[in-house]
Amino acid sequence: MVAKWEAFAACDETERRFYFLSRDAATEHRRLIRTVLAAENGDSEMSGLIISVSGLRGVIGESLTPDVAVRYVTAFANHLHAAKGAGEPRPRIIVGRDGRSSGVLLQRAVVASLEASGCDCSIADVAATPTIGVLVRDLAADGAIQITASHNPPPYNGMKLFSLTGRVIGAAAGGAIKQAFERGESSWVSVDELGSARMLEDPHLPHLQAVL
């Protein structure tokens, strides 16, 4: 095992990702790859789930399941509720995704979790990550969740969290959300407090207007 670790650590990033996708890669090799990449990114890893202060990513059906997504989203929703003052409207959150096939499944889980946590969702569906940030500012939302695993291989997916500034959440807020997720904290609302969800007609327009 030590020899395998040393050989893998000596590979460049392209070789590592090819190794991950090779058909004969065993489960232990996949865990090894996730551990090394997480360490290099300064992330923590919990049973194959890679968590940073601004989001998480994992392998669909292994470390990233609908249950994991629900717990992480509700931790984010609780954070947004806590930031609201008495009498203020409930949090409004933008939800988008990249083109990965697993994104449809995760988007359903994310939206349902936000509604059950008493948040209103505006769904951008497939949109670039910078577009989500523009939408947060344009619609005066309280935050956003972009479902994406960035440059990671197809088996992966993840979630990136945005603050009301349209940027990824800061280290302090992200750390608090991460801790709440790891403690399994969640808070479901009663039926008369459930949130809502709507599809945005043209989620790309504000970004186009900003750059043209």
Side-chain angles (χ1 to χ4, degrees), residues 93-114:
I93 304 176
I94 309 296
V95 179
R97 66 182 179 91
D98 65 17
R100 293 168 188 261
S101 59
S102 60
V104 177
L105 165 70
L106 277 181
Q107 183 169 271
R108 292 179 187 139
V110 167
V111 172
S113 301
L114 291 172

Side-chain angles (χ1 to χ4, degrees), residues 5 20 26-36 45 47-48:
W5 177 282
F20 181 90
T27 300
E28 66 174 292
H29 295 165
R30 295 188 180 189
R31 287 198 297 265
L32 171 63
I33 292 168
R34 290 196 291 266
T35 300
V36 171
E45 184 172 6
S47 300

Side-chain angles (χ1 to χ4, degrees), residues 20-184:
F20 181 90
L21 294 172
S22 63
R23 291 186 176 182
D24 61 347
T27 300
E28 66 174 292
H29 295 165
R30 295 188 180 189
R31 287 198 297 265
L32 171 63
I33 292 168
R34 290 196 291 266
T35 300
V36 171
L37 293 179
E40 290 182 350
N41 290 332
D43 301 336
S44 65
E45 184 172 6
M46 185 176 67
S47 300
L49 188 68
I50 303 169
I51 312 173
S52 70
V53 295
S54 62
L56 59 72
R57 63 188 182 276
V59 177
I60 293 295
E62 294 182 13
S63 55
L64 181 52
T65 62
D67 175 65
V68 169
V70 167
R71 289 192 291 115
Y72 191 67
V73 169
T74 54
F76 180 49
N78 289 348
H79 170 77
L80 296 180
H81 275 293
K84 290 284 189 178
E88 289 189 284
R90 58 192 176 194
R92 293 188 298 165
I93 304 176
I94 309 296
V95 179
R97 66 182 179 91
D98 65 17
R100 293 168 188 261
S101 59
S102 60
V104 177
L105 165 70
L106 277 181
Q107 183 169 271
R108 292 179 187 139
V110 167
V111 172
S113 301
L114 291 172
E115 290 181 276
S117 299
C119 299
D120 292 330
C121 307
S122 295
I123 305 170
D125 204 35
V126 178
T129 299
T131 298
I132 299 302
V134 172
L135 282 170
V136 170
R137 295 190 295 271
D138 185 73
L139 298 177
D142 296 287
I145 299 175
Q146 173 71 333
I147 301 165
T148 179
S150 187
H151 58 278
N152 287 275
Y156 278 86
N157 213 329
M159 289 176 280
K160 187 179 294 291
L161 306 181
F162 288 76
S163 72
L164 54 75
T165 66
R167 300 178 182 275
V168 295
I169 58 175
I177 294 167
K178 176 176 175 289
Q179 291 175 3
F181 163 74
E182 292 173 342
R183 290 193 299 265

